[in-house]
Amino acid sequence: MVVPNLCQAAFAMLRQIEPIIVLEQLGSTLFDTALQMVVWDRCANATDPGHSSEDAQQKAMTDFYMINNLIIQLTPIFPALFLARLSDRGRRKAPIVSPLTGYLLSRVILLLVVVLKLPLQVMFAAGAVLGLSGGFTAYWPGVMTLASLGSTAADRSKVLMRVEFMYGLAGVVGSLASGHLFHLYSSSLGHGTILLIISTLLHLLCLLHSIFLLQVKGVSDGEPEENRHLLLRASTNSSVVEAPVEINRVNVALLFVAAILYDFAVGGAIEVLGAFVLRAPLSWNATLVGYGNAAGCVIFLTSYIGVIGFRRCCSDTSLILIGMVSFAVGIYFMSFVTTTLTFYLARALTLFALIPMTTIRSLLSQQVPASSCGMTLTFLQLALKFASLAYIPAFTKIYQGTLDWFPGFVFTLASIFTVLGMTPISIIGCRSPQRWQYEKI
C-alpha cells in the first residue's frame, strides 16, 4: 500500500505547476549564460575608430543587447493581452503553452547560430518569436494564476510564496551549473553547444509537460467573482484590504512615478551589467558569469524572505523604501567595483532590491475600486514597457560614452534615479501613514 500511495502522490505532484517553473527557469539560466558568452565571442573582432579593441567589443555587445532587449520588451504586449483574455475565458493553459513554445524556438535558434555559424543578428528573429508567443509577460501571470487556482483562499499566500521561492532557487542552481557546462567541449561541437543542447531539452520537456501532464482547475460560471480574477492577488503578497469606492488619483499618480523611476534605474543598470563584468579589470569567464547570474537569483530569494520578515513591523511604504535604499546603495557601490570580491559585496547590498515593485503593485490595488484593479495594473505594466524604450538605449549609449573615463558611471546614475523614486513613496507615507500597515502574521 505504501508504494502505490507514493507513486500516486508523485504523479499528483507532477501534474502541478511547480515542475514547469523549475524546468523553465533551469533552461533559461543556462540559455542566458550561453547567449552572453556567444555574443561576447562573436563581438571579439569588432572595431571602432578612436577606441581600443576591448571598448569596441563592449560597444558591439551592448548594441546587440540593446536591440535584442527592445524587441523582447515590446513585441509581447498585444500577444500577452490576447493570451490573458483567453485565460479569463477558461483556457488557462494558453498563457503557459504559447510562451513555452516561444522559449523552445528561441533556444533552438541560438543552438543553430552556434552549430551552423550563422550571423549573430539571427537572434533578433529569435527575440521576435519569443515576444510574439507572449514571452515572460504572458508566462509569469499565467503561472501565478494557475498556482492561485490550485490553492484555497487561506493557503494562497503561502502557495504563491513557495512558487516565487522555487523560481529563485532553480535560478541559483541553473546559473551555478551554466558556466561549467559551457566549458564542456568536443572537437566536433565547440564551447557552449552542450550547454545549449541541455537548455533546449529542458524547454522541450517543459513544453511537453505543460501540454500532457499539467492539470488545470476549471473555473465555473457560478464561481464567485473574486475567484475569477486571480491575477491581481497573484501579483501581490499583501493581506486583503477593502477596496475604496473611488480612485485615489494622487496616490495612484505618485505610485506610477515611483514605479517608473525605479524600473528605469534597475532596468538600465542590469542592461549593461552583463557587458561590464566581461571587460577589464573583472574579465570574467563563463564560470564566473554563471556565478554572477546566480548572485542575481539569490537576490530574488532574499527579497521575498525580507518581505516575510519586515511585514511584521513595517508599513508598505517602509518596505518599498527599504528595497529602494538596498538597491541604491548596492548599485552605487557597483560603480567602483574592480575585483570579483567587491562585485559580490555590491550584489549583497542589493539583497532586498526586488521588494519595491511587488509592494507598489499591492498599494496600487488598494487605491482603486475592485472593478478597476486589473486595468490599473495593466496600465502600469504598459507604462513600464514604454519606459524601457527610453532606458534601454539611454543607459547603453551612456555606458558606451563613458567607457574611457568611468565605466561605472551608469550605476551611479541608476542610484540617483532610485533616490528620486523614493520621493513619491515618502510623500505617500506622510499623507496617510496610518493606512499602510501590514496585518500582523
Side-chain angles (χ1 to χ4, degrees), residues 273 276 325-350 406 408-416:
L273 187 60
F276 177 79
V325 169
S326 173
F327 180 77
V329 173
I331 207 64
Y332 178 75
F333 188 68
M334 188 70 73
S335 304
F336 309 99
V337 163
T338 56
T339 65
T340 297
L341 176 60
T342 52
F343 172 88
Y344 287 119
L345 290 175
R347 271 302 204 180
L349 291 172
T350 64
F406 188 16
F409 175 75
V410 287
F411 302 128
T412 300
L413 188 64
S415 181
I416 294 172

PDB file of all heavy atoms in Angstrom, residues 273 276 325-350 406 408-416:
ATOM      1  N   LEU A 273      25.091  45.528 -17.129  1.00  0.00           N
ATOM      2  CA  LEU A 273      25.883  44.782 -16.157  1.00  0.00           C
ATOM      3  C   LEU A 273      26.553  43.566 -16.786  1.00  0.00           C
ATOM      4  O   LEU A 273      27.701  43.224 -16.455  1.00  0.00           O
ATOM      5  CB  LEU A 273      25.002  44.342 -14.982  1.00  0.00           C
ATOM      6  CG  LEU A 273      25.709  43.685 -13.801  1.00  0.00           C
ATOM      7  CD1 LEU A 273      26.735  44.633 -13.190  1.00  0.00           C
ATOM      8  CD2 LEU A 273      24.701  43.248 -12.739  1.00  0.00           C
ATOM      9  N   PHE A 276      29.605  44.743 -18.516  1.00  0.00           N
ATOM     10  CA  PHE A 276      30.551  45.327 -17.560  1.00  0.00           C
ATOM     11  C   PHE A 276      31.455  44.266 -16.944  1.00  0.00           C
ATOM     12  O   PHE A 276      32.657  44.486 -16.770  1.00  0.00           O
ATOM     13  CB  PHE A 276      29.766  46.075 -16.484  1.00  0.00           C
ATOM     14  CG  PHE A 276      30.613  46.663 -15.396  1.00  0.00           C
ATOM     15  CD1 PHE A 276      31.304  47.845 -15.593  1.00  0.00           C
ATOM     16  CD2 PHE A 276      30.709  46.039 -14.155  1.00  0.00           C
ATOM     17  CE1 PHE A 276      32.077  48.392 -14.577  1.00  0.00           C
ATOM     18  CE2 PHE A 276      31.475  46.579 -13.137  1.00  0.00           C
ATOM     19  CZ  PHE A 276      32.170  47.761 -13.358  1.00  0.00           C
ATOM     20  N   VAL A 325      16.445  51.675  -0.913  1.00  0.00           N
ATOM     21  CA  VAL A 325      17.730  52.006  -0.299  1.00  0.00           C
ATOM     22  C   VAL A 325      18.732  50.886  -0.546  1.00  0.00           C
ATOM     23  O   VAL A 325      19.912  51.129  -0.851  1.00  0.00           O
ATOM     24  CB  VAL A 325      17.555  52.267   1.212  1.00  0.00           C
ATOM     25  CG1 VAL A 325      18.908  52.341   1.906  1.00  0.00           C
ATOM     26  CG2 VAL A 325      16.771  53.551   1.444  1.00  0.00           C
ATOM     27  N   SER A 326      18.267  49.648  -0.428  1.00  0.00           N
ATOM     28  CA  SER A 326      19.140  48.492  -0.671  1.00  0.00           C
ATOM     29  C   SER A 326      19.727  48.539  -2.080  1.00  0.00           C
ATOM     30  O   SER A 326      20.940  48.374  -2.270  1.00  0.00           O
ATOM     31  CB  SER A 326      18.348  47.202  -0.464  1.00  0.00           C
ATOM     32  OG  SER A 326      19.110  46.068  -0.849  1.00  0.00           O
ATOM     33  N   PHE A 327      18.877  48.797  -3.065  1.00  0.00           N
ATOM     34  CA  PHE A 327      19.379  48.840  -4.442  1.00  0.00           C
ATOM     35  C   PHE A 327      20.257  50.063  -4.678  1.00  0.00           C
ATOM     36  O   PHE A 327      21.300  49.961  -5.340  1.00  0.00           O
ATOM     37  CB  PHE A 327      18.215  48.843  -5.427  1.00  0.00           C
ATOM     38  CG  PHE A 327      18.647  48.884  -6.859  1.00  0.00           C
ATOM     39  CD1 PHE A 327      19.139  47.744  -7.486  1.00  0.00           C
ATOM     40  CD2 PHE A 327      18.605  50.066  -7.584  1.00  0.00           C
ATOM     41  CE1 PHE A 327      19.563  47.779  -8.804  1.00  0.00           C
ATOM     42  CE2 PHE A 327      19.026  50.109  -8.910  1.00  0.00           C
ATOM     43  CZ  PHE A 327      19.507  48.963  -9.521  1.00  0.00           C
ATOM     44  N   ALA A 328      19.838  51.217  -4.174  1.00  0.00           N
ATOM     45  CA  ALA A 328      20.605  52.451  -4.401  1.00  0.00           C
ATOM     46  C   ALA A 328      22.016  52.337  -3.864  1.00  0.00           C
ATOM     47  O   ALA A 328      22.994  52.722  -4.530  1.00  0.00           O
ATOM     48  CB  ALA A 328      19.878  53.640  -3.768  1.00  0.00           C
ATOM     49  N   VAL A 329      22.162  51.808  -2.652  1.00  0.00           N
ATOM     50  CA  VAL A 329      23.488  51.670  -2.046  1.00  0.00           C
ATOM     51  C   VAL A 329      24.324  50.634  -2.802  1.00  0.00           C
ATOM     52  O   VAL A 329      25.501  50.871  -3.122  1.00  0.00           O
ATOM     53  CB  VAL A 329      23.356  51.277  -0.560  1.00  0.00           C
ATOM     54  CG1 VAL A 329      24.733  50.962   0.033  1.00  0.00           C
ATOM     55  CG2 VAL A 329      22.680  52.388   0.229  1.00  0.00           C
ATOM     56  N   GLY A 330      23.716  49.479  -3.097  1.00  0.00           N
ATOM     57  CA  GLY A 330      24.456  48.418  -3.778  1.00  0.00           C
ATOM     58  C   GLY A 330      24.893  48.797  -5.165  1.00  0.00           C
ATOM     59  O   GLY A 330      26.040  48.531  -5.566  1.00  0.00           O
ATOM     60  N   ILE A 331      24.002  49.430  -5.929  1.00  0.00           N
ATOM     61  CA  ILE A 331      24.351  49.766  -7.317  1.00  0.00           C
ATOM     62  C   ILE A 331      25.333  50.935  -7.361  1.00  0.00           C
ATOM     63  O   ILE A 331      26.149  51.042  -8.287  1.00  0.00           O
ATOM     64  CB  ILE A 331      23.082  50.060  -8.145  1.00  0.00           C
ATOM     65  CG1 ILE A 331      23.333  49.737  -9.624  1.00  0.00           C
ATOM     66  CG2 ILE A 331      22.610  51.494  -7.966  1.00  0.00           C
ATOM     67  CD1 ILE A 331      23.603  48.287  -9.919  1.00  0.00           C
ATOM     68  N   TYR A 332      25.299  51.821  -6.344  1.00  0.00           N
ATOM     69  CA  TYR A 332      26.310  52.880  -6.272  1.00  0.00           C
ATOM     70  C   TYR A 332      27.678  52.274  -6.002  1.00  0.00           C
ATOM     71  O   TYR A 332      28.688  52.674  -6.608  1.00  0.00           O
ATOM     72  CB  TYR A 332      25.948  53.893  -5.180  1.00  0.00           C
ATOM     73  CG  TYR A 332      26.982  54.981  -5.019  1.00  0.00           C
ATOM     74  CD1 TYR A 332      27.088  56.006  -5.950  1.00  0.00           C
ATOM     75  CD2 TYR A 332      27.864  54.979  -3.940  1.00  0.00           C
ATOM     76  CE1 TYR A 332      28.042  57.011  -5.818  1.00  0.00           C
ATOM     77  CE2 TYR A 332      28.813  55.971  -3.788  1.00  0.00           C
ATOM     78  CZ  TYR A 332      28.905  56.979  -4.731  1.00  0.00           C
ATOM     79  OH  TYR A 332      29.862  57.956  -4.600  1.00  0.00           O
ATOM     80  N   PHE A 333      27.727  51.320  -5.110  1.00  0.00           N
ATOM     81  CA  PHE A 333      28.981  50.623  -4.810  1.00  0.00           C
ATOM     82  C   PHE A 333      29.500  49.892  -6.045  1.00  0.00           C
ATOM     83  O   PHE A 333      30.715  49.784  -6.248  1.00  0.00           O
ATOM     84  CB  PHE A 333      28.759  49.647  -3.659  1.00  0.00           C
ATOM     85  CG  PHE A 333      30.009  49.017  -3.126  1.00  0.00           C
ATOM     86  CD1 PHE A 333      30.956  49.762  -2.450  1.00  0.00           C
ATOM     87  CD2 PHE A 333      30.257  47.674  -3.302  1.00  0.00           C
ATOM     88  CE1 PHE A 333      32.119  49.180  -1.964  1.00  0.00           C
ATOM     89  CE2 PHE A 333      31.407  47.078  -2.821  1.00  0.00           C
ATOM     90  CZ  PHE A 333      32.345  47.837  -2.148  1.00  0.00           C
ATOM     91  N   MET A 334      28.563  49.403  -6.898  1.00  0.00           N
ATOM     92  CA  MET A 334      28.955  48.713  -8.123  1.00  0.00           C
ATOM     93  C   MET A 334      29.744  49.626  -9.059  1.00  0.00           C
ATOM     94  O   MET A 334      30.553  49.153  -9.872  1.00  0.00           O
ATOM     95  CB  MET A 334      27.705  48.187  -8.846  1.00  0.00           C
ATOM     96  CG  MET A 334      27.981  47.276 -10.031  1.00  0.00           C
ATOM     97  SD  MET A 334      28.642  45.662  -9.557  1.00  0.00           S
ATOM     98  CE  MET A 334      27.163  44.906  -8.857  1.00  0.00           C
ATOM     99  N   SER A 335      29.547  50.938  -8.943  1.00  0.00           N
ATOM    100  CA  SER A 335      30.259  51.890  -9.802  1.00  0.00           C
ATOM    101  C   SER A 335      31.771  51.780  -9.654  1.00  0.00           C
ATOM    102  O   SER A 335      32.520  52.087 -10.592  1.00  0.00           O
ATOM    103  CB  SER A 335      29.827  53.330  -9.469  1.00  0.00           C
ATOM    104  OG  SER A 335      28.437  53.486  -9.570  1.00  0.00           O
ATOM    105  N   PHE A 336      32.229  51.340  -8.488  1.00  0.00           N
ATOM    106  CA  PHE A 336      33.658  51.339  -8.194  1.00  0.00           C
ATOM    107  C   PHE A 336      34.224  49.927  -8.062  1.00  0.00           C
ATOM    108  O   PHE A 336      35.322  49.744  -7.538  1.00  0.00           O
ATOM    109  CB  PHE A 336      33.904  52.127  -6.896  1.00  0.00           C
ATOM    110  CG  PHE A 336      33.274  53.491  -6.900  1.00  0.00           C
ATOM    111  CD1 PHE A 336      32.057  53.707  -6.256  1.00  0.00           C
ATOM    112  CD2 PHE A 336      33.861  54.547  -7.576  1.00  0.00           C
ATOM    113  CE1 PHE A 336      31.457  54.961  -6.265  1.00  0.00           C
ATOM    114  CE2 PHE A 336      33.276  55.800  -7.594  1.00  0.00           C
ATOM    115  CZ  PHE A 336      32.068  56.009  -6.937  1.00  0.00           C
ATOM    116  N   VAL A 337      33.479  48.945  -8.543  1.00  0.00           N
ATOM    117  CA  VAL A 337      33.927  47.553  -8.466  1.00  0.00           C
ATOM    118  C   VAL A 337      35.108  47.324  -9.400  1.00  0.00           C
ATOM    119  O   VAL A 337      35.064  47.685 -10.586  1.00  0.00           O
ATOM    120  CB  VAL A 337      32.766  46.601  -8.819  1.00  0.00           C
ATOM    121  CG1 VAL A 337      33.277  45.211  -9.157  1.00  0.00           C
ATOM    122  CG2 VAL A 337      31.773  46.529  -7.667  1.00  0.00           C
ATOM    123  N   THR A 338      36.160  46.703  -8.869  1.00  0.00           N
ATOM    124  CA  THR A 338      37.333  46.374  -9.686  1.00  0.00           C
ATOM    125  C   THR A 338      37.766  44.922  -9.518  1.00  0.00           C
ATOM    126  O   THR A 338      38.646  44.457 -10.235  1.00  0.00           O
ATOM    127  CB  THR A 338      38.525  47.282  -9.318  1.00  0.00           C
ATOM    128  OG1 THR A 338      38.790  47.170  -7.920  1.00  0.00           O
ATOM    129  CG2 THR A 338      38.215  48.741  -9.660  1.00  0.00           C
ATOM    130  N   THR A 339      37.166  44.221  -8.561  1.00  0.00           N
ATOM    131  CA  THR A 339      37.511  42.813  -8.344  1.00  0.00           C
ATOM    132  C   THR A 339      36.225  42.005  -8.198  1.00  0.00           C
ATOM    133  O   THR A 339      35.148  42.548  -7.938  1.00  0.00           O
ATOM    134  CB  THR A 339      38.360  42.630  -7.073  1.00  0.00           C
ATOM    135  OG1 THR A 339      37.583  42.990  -5.925  1.00  0.00           O
ATOM    136  CG2 THR A 339      39.622  43.488  -7.133  1.00  0.00           C
ATOM    137  N   THR A 340      36.359  40.698  -8.355  1.00  0.00           N
ATOM    138  CA  THR A 340      35.204  39.816  -8.217  1.00  0.00           C
ATOM    139  C   THR A 340      34.634  39.881  -6.804  1.00  0.00           C
ATOM    140  O   THR A 340      33.408  39.850  -6.610  1.00  0.00           O
ATOM    141  CB  THR A 340      35.598  38.370  -8.561  1.00  0.00           C
ATOM    142  OG1 THR A 340      36.013  38.317  -9.935  1.00  0.00           O
ATOM    143  CG2 THR A 340      34.432  37.417  -8.358  1.00  0.00           C
ATOM    144  N   LEU A 341      35.498  39.989  -5.796  1.00  0.00           N
ATOM    145  CA  LEU A 341      35.029  40.066  -4.418  1.00  0.00           C
ATOM    146  C   LEU A 341      34.170  41.302  -4.188  1.00  0.00           C
ATOM    147  O   LEU A 341      33.090  41.223  -3.577  1.00  0.00           O
ATOM    148  CB  LEU A 341      36.231  40.078  -3.471  1.00  0.00           C
ATOM    149  CG  LEU A 341      35.897  40.256  -1.978  1.00  0.00           C
ATOM    150  CD1 LEU A 341      35.000  39.124  -1.492  1.00  0.00           C
ATOM    151  CD2 LEU A 341      37.180  40.338  -1.150  1.00  0.00           C
ATOM    152  N   THR A 342      34.634  42.451  -4.683  1.00  0.00           N
ATOM    153  CA  THR A 342      33.843  43.674  -4.488  1.00  0.00           C
ATOM    154  C   THR A 342      32.534  43.629  -5.281  1.00  0.00           C
ATOM    155  O   THR A 342      31.543  44.237  -4.877  1.00  0.00           O
ATOM    156  CB  THR A 342      34.657  44.913  -4.893  1.00  0.00           C
ATOM    157  OG1 THR A 342      35.190  44.740  -6.224  1.00  0.00           O
ATOM    158  CG2 THR A 342      35.805  45.147  -3.926  1.00  0.00           C
ATOM    159  N   PHE A 343      32.516  42.890  -6.397  1.00  0.00           N
ATOM    160  CA  PHE A 343      31.258  42.707  -7.138  1.00  0.00           C
ATOM    161  C   PHE A 343      30.233  42.002  -6.247  1.00  0.00           C
ATOM    162  O   PHE A 343      29.075  42.421  -6.160  1.00  0.00           O
ATOM    163  CB  PHE A 343      31.498  41.893  -8.413  1.00  0.00           C
ATOM    164  CG  PHE A 343      30.222  41.501  -9.114  1.00  0.00           C
ATOM    165  CD1 PHE A 343      29.642  42.342 -10.050  1.00  0.00           C
ATOM    166  CD2 PHE A 343      29.594  40.289  -8.833  1.00  0.00           C
ATOM    167  CE1 PHE A 343      28.455  41.989 -10.689  1.00  0.00           C
ATOM    168  CE2 PHE A 343      28.410  39.927  -9.469  1.00  0.00           C
ATOM    169  CZ  PHE A 343      27.847  40.777 -10.401  1.00  0.00           C
ATOM    170  N   TYR A 344      30.650  40.920  -5.607  1.00  0.00           N
ATOM    171  CA  TYR A 344      29.720  40.182  -4.756  1.00  0.00           C
ATOM    172  C   TYR A 344      29.307  40.995  -3.527  1.00  0.00           C
ATOM    173  O   TYR A 344      28.172  40.873  -3.053  1.00  0.00           O
ATOM    174  CB  TYR A 344      30.329  38.849  -4.332  1.00  0.00           C
ATOM    175  CG  TYR A 344      30.386  37.844  -5.459  1.00  0.00           C
ATOM    176  CD1 TYR A 344      31.595  37.327  -5.904  1.00  0.00           C
ATOM    177  CD2 TYR A 344      29.227  37.424  -6.092  1.00  0.00           C
ATOM    178  CE1 TYR A 344      31.649  36.412  -6.944  1.00  0.00           C
ATOM    179  CE2 TYR A 344      29.266  36.513  -7.139  1.00  0.00           C
ATOM    180  CZ  TYR A 344      30.491  36.011  -7.557  1.00  0.00           C
ATOM    181  OH  TYR A 344      30.528  35.118  -8.588  1.00  0.00           O
ATOM    182  N   LEU A 345      30.193  41.837  -3.038  1.00  0.00           N
ATOM    183  CA  LEU A 345      29.818  42.721  -1.934  1.00  0.00           C
ATOM    184  C   LEU A 345      28.743  43.709  -2.382  1.00  0.00           C
ATOM    185  O   LEU A 345      27.782  43.978  -1.642  1.00  0.00           O
ATOM    186  CB  LEU A 345      31.052  43.478  -1.424  1.00  0.00           C
ATOM    187  CG  LEU A 345      32.096  42.643  -0.671  1.00  0.00           C
ATOM    188  CD1 LEU A 345      33.317  43.504  -0.336  1.00  0.00           C
ATOM    189  CD2 LEU A 345      31.501  42.045   0.602  1.00  0.00           C
ATOM    190  N   ALA A 346      28.907  44.246  -3.593  1.00  0.00           N
ATOM    191  CA  ALA A 346      27.897  45.159  -4.127  1.00  0.00           C
ATOM    192  C   ALA A 346      26.568  44.443  -4.324  1.00  0.00           C
ATOM    193  O   ALA A 346      25.500  44.981  -4.012  1.00  0.00           O
ATOM    194  CB  ALA A 346      28.385  45.754  -5.451  1.00  0.00           C
ATOM    195  N   ARG A 347      26.610  43.218  -4.846  1.00  0.00           N
ATOM    196  CA  ARG A 347      25.387  42.430  -5.021  1.00  0.00           C
ATOM    197  C   ARG A 347      24.729  42.136  -3.683  1.00  0.00           C
ATOM    198  O   ARG A 347      23.494  42.152  -3.563  1.00  0.00           O
ATOM    199  CB  ARG A 347      25.711  41.128  -5.744  1.00  0.00           C
ATOM    200  CG  ARG A 347      25.651  41.186  -7.257  1.00  0.00           C
ATOM    201  CD  ARG A 347      24.301  41.606  -7.715  1.00  0.00           C
ATOM    202  NE  ARG A 347      23.995  41.169  -9.071  1.00  0.00           N
ATOM    203  CZ  ARG A 347      22.856  41.423  -9.685  1.00  0.00           C
ATOM    204  NH1 ARG A 347      21.914  42.104  -9.071  1.00  0.00           N
ATOM    205  NH2 ARG A 347      22.629  41.010 -10.913  1.00  0.00           N
ATOM    206  N   ALA A 348      25.542  41.879  -2.669  1.00  0.00           N
ATOM    207  CA  ALA A 348      24.988  41.577  -1.348  1.00  0.00           C
ATOM    208  C   ALA A 348      24.220  42.772  -0.781  1.00  0.00           C
ATOM    209  O   ALA A 348      23.229  42.603  -0.072  1.00  0.00           O
ATOM    210  CB  ALA A 348      26.109  41.169  -0.397  1.00  0.00           C
ATOM    211  N   LEU A 349      24.666  43.972  -1.104  1.00  0.00           N
ATOM    212  CA  LEU A 349      23.982  45.167  -0.614  1.00  0.00           C
ATOM    213  C   LEU A 349      22.607  45.354  -1.251  1.00  0.00           C
ATOM    214  O   LEU A 349      21.749  46.049  -0.703  1.00  0.00           O
ATOM    215  CB  LEU A 349      24.851  46.405  -0.875  1.00  0.00           C
ATOM    216  CG  LEU A 349      26.133  46.509  -0.044  1.00  0.00           C
ATOM    217  CD1 LEU A 349      26.990  47.663  -0.544  1.00  0.00           C
ATOM    218  CD2 LEU A 349      25.812  46.679   1.429  1.00  0.00           C
ATOM    219  N   THR A 350      22.379  44.730  -2.416  1.00  0.00           N
ATOM    220  CA  THR A 350      21.093  44.863  -3.103  1.00  0.00           C
ATOM    221  C   THR A 350      20.150  43.701  -2.779  1.00  0.00           C
ATOM    222  O   THR A 350      19.245  43.406  -3.551  1.00  0.00           O
ATOM    223  CB  THR A 350      21.301  44.930  -4.633  1.00  0.00           C
ATOM    224  OG1 THR A 350      21.873  43.688  -5.099  1.00  0.00           O
ATOM    225  CG2 THR A 350      22.224  46.068  -5.016  1.00  0.00           C
ATOM    226  N   PHE A 406      35.044  56.448 -17.001  1.00  0.00           N
ATOM    227  CA  PHE A 406      34.350  55.962 -15.803  1.00  0.00           C
ATOM    228  C   PHE A 406      33.272  54.960 -16.231  1.00  0.00           C
ATOM    229  O   PHE A 406      32.100  55.303 -16.319  1.00  0.00           O
ATOM    230  CB  PHE A 406      33.729  57.135 -15.040  1.00  0.00           C
ATOM    231  CG  PHE A 406      33.152  56.763 -13.694  1.00  0.00           C
ATOM    232  CD1 PHE A 406      33.475  55.564 -13.059  1.00  0.00           C
ATOM    233  CD2 PHE A 406      32.275  57.627 -13.051  1.00  0.00           C
ATOM    234  CE1 PHE A 406      32.942  55.240 -11.827  1.00  0.00           C
ATOM    235  CE2 PHE A 406      31.736  57.303 -11.814  1.00  0.00           C
ATOM    236  CZ  PHE A 406      32.077  56.111 -11.206  1.00  0.00           C
ATOM    237  N   GLY A 408      31.719  52.737 -14.692  1.00  0.00           N
ATOM    238  CA  GLY A 408      30.663  52.522 -13.709  1.00  0.00           C
ATOM    239  C   GLY A 408      29.733  53.698 -13.530  1.00  0.00           C
ATOM    240  O   GLY A 408      28.861  53.672 -12.639  1.00  0.00           O
ATOM    241  N   PHE A 409      29.852  54.720 -14.391  1.00  0.00           N
ATOM    242  CA  PHE A 409      29.014  55.910 -14.234  1.00  0.00           C
ATOM    243  C   PHE A 409      27.527  55.578 -14.332  1.00  0.00           C
ATOM    244  O   PHE A 409      26.701  56.185 -13.627  1.00  0.00           O
ATOM    245  CB  PHE A 409      29.390  56.952 -15.291  1.00  0.00           C
ATOM    246  CG  PHE A 409      28.503  58.172 -15.277  1.00  0.00           C
ATOM    247  CD1 PHE A 409      28.644  59.125 -14.277  1.00  0.00           C
ATOM    248  CD2 PHE A 409      27.525  58.355 -16.245  1.00  0.00           C
ATOM    249  CE1 PHE A 409      27.823  60.244 -14.256  1.00  0.00           C
ATOM    250  CE2 PHE A 409      26.697  59.471 -16.224  1.00  0.00           C
ATOM    251  CZ  PHE A 409      26.849  60.420 -15.231  1.00  0.00           C
ATOM    252  N   VAL A 410      27.161  54.614 -15.192  1.00  0.00           N
ATOM    253  CA  VAL A 410      25.742  54.273 -15.350  1.00  0.00           C
ATOM    254  C   VAL A 410      25.152  53.748 -14.044  1.00  0.00           C
ATOM    255  O   VAL A 410      23.963  53.935 -13.765  1.00  0.00           O
ATOM    256  CB  VAL A 410      25.544  53.229 -16.473  1.00  0.00           C
ATOM    257  CG1 VAL A 410      25.736  53.844 -17.833  1.00  0.00           C
ATOM    258  CG2 VAL A 410      26.452  52.036 -16.281  1.00  0.00           C
ATOM    259  N   PHE A 411      25.968  53.105 -13.225  1.00  0.00           N
ATOM    260  CA  PHE A 411      25.474  52.585 -11.954  1.00  0.00           C
ATOM    261  C   PHE A 411      25.243  53.728 -10.956  1.00  0.00           C
ATOM    262  O   PHE A 411      24.281  53.691 -10.176  1.00  0.00           O
ATOM    263  CB  PHE A 411      26.456  51.566 -11.394  1.00  0.00           C
ATOM    264  CG  PHE A 411      26.714  50.407 -12.327  1.00  0.00           C
ATOM    265  CD1 PHE A 411      27.997  50.037 -12.657  1.00  0.00           C
ATOM    266  CD2 PHE A 411      25.660  49.706 -12.898  1.00  0.00           C
ATOM    267  CE1 PHE A 411      28.240  48.987 -13.527  1.00  0.00           C
ATOM    268  CE2 PHE A 411      25.885  48.653 -13.757  1.00  0.00           C
ATOM    269  CZ  PHE A 411      27.180  48.293 -14.079  1.00  0.00           C
ATOM    270  N   THR A 412      26.107  54.735 -10.989  1.00  0.00           N
ATOM    271  CA  THR A 412      25.869  55.930 -10.177  1.00  0.00           C
ATOM    272  C   THR A 412      24.582  56.613 -10.620  1.00  0.00           C
ATOM    273  O   THR A 412      23.776  57.071  -9.787  1.00  0.00           O
ATOM    274  CB  THR A 412      27.052  56.906 -10.298  1.00  0.00           C
ATOM    275  OG1 THR A 412      28.247  56.263  -9.851  1.00  0.00           O
ATOM    276  CG2 THR A 412      26.819  58.159  -9.469  1.00  0.00           C
ATOM    277  N   LEU A 413      24.371  56.681 -11.937  1.00  0.00           N
ATOM    278  CA  LEU A 413      23.150  57.278 -12.475  1.00  0.00           C
ATOM    279  C   LEU A 413      21.921  56.498 -12.028  1.00  0.00           C
ATOM    280  O   LEU A 413      20.890  57.085 -11.658  1.00  0.00           O
ATOM    281  CB  LEU A 413      23.232  57.321 -13.997  1.00  0.00           C
ATOM    282  CG  LEU A 413      22.132  58.081 -14.741  1.00  0.00           C
ATOM    283  CD1 LEU A 413      22.181  59.559 -14.369  1.00  0.00           C
ATOM    284  CD2 LEU A 413      22.302  57.915 -16.247  1.00  0.00           C
ATOM    285  N   ALA A 414      22.013  55.165 -12.038  1.00  0.00           N
ATOM    286  CA  ALA A 414      20.896  54.332 -11.579  1.00  0.00           C
ATOM    287  C   ALA A 414      20.598  54.584 -10.108  1.00  0.00           C
ATOM    288  O   ALA A 414      19.428  54.610  -9.690  1.00  0.00           O
ATOM    289  CB  ALA A 414      21.228  52.861 -11.810  1.00  0.00           C
ATOM    290  N   SER A 415      21.633  54.790  -9.312  1.00  0.00           N
ATOM    291  CA  SER A 415      21.442  55.085  -7.897  1.00  0.00           C
ATOM    292  C   SER A 415      20.704  56.409  -7.710  1.00  0.00           C
ATOM    293  O   SER A 415      19.821  56.529  -6.848  1.00  0.00           O
ATOM    294  CB  SER A 415      22.805  55.132  -7.197  1.00  0.00           C
ATOM    295  OG  SER A 415      22.661  55.393  -5.828  1.00  0.00           O
ATOM    296  N   ILE A 416      21.045  57.399  -8.531  1.00  0.00           N
ATOM    297  CA  ILE A 416      20.370  58.703  -8.446  1.00  0.00           C
ATOM    298  C   ILE A 416      18.890  58.570  -8.782  1.00  0.00           C
ATOM    299  O   ILE A 416      18.019  59.125  -8.095  1.00  0.00           O
ATOM    300  CB  ILE A 416      21.060  59.713  -9.381  1.00  0.00           C
ATOM    301  CG1 ILE A 416      22.477  60.007  -8.888  1.00  0.00           C
ATOM    302  CG2 ILE A 416      20.249  61.002  -9.484  1.00  0.00           C
ATOM    303  CD1 ILE A 416      23.312  60.840  -9.841  1.00  0.00           C
TER     304      ILE A 416
END
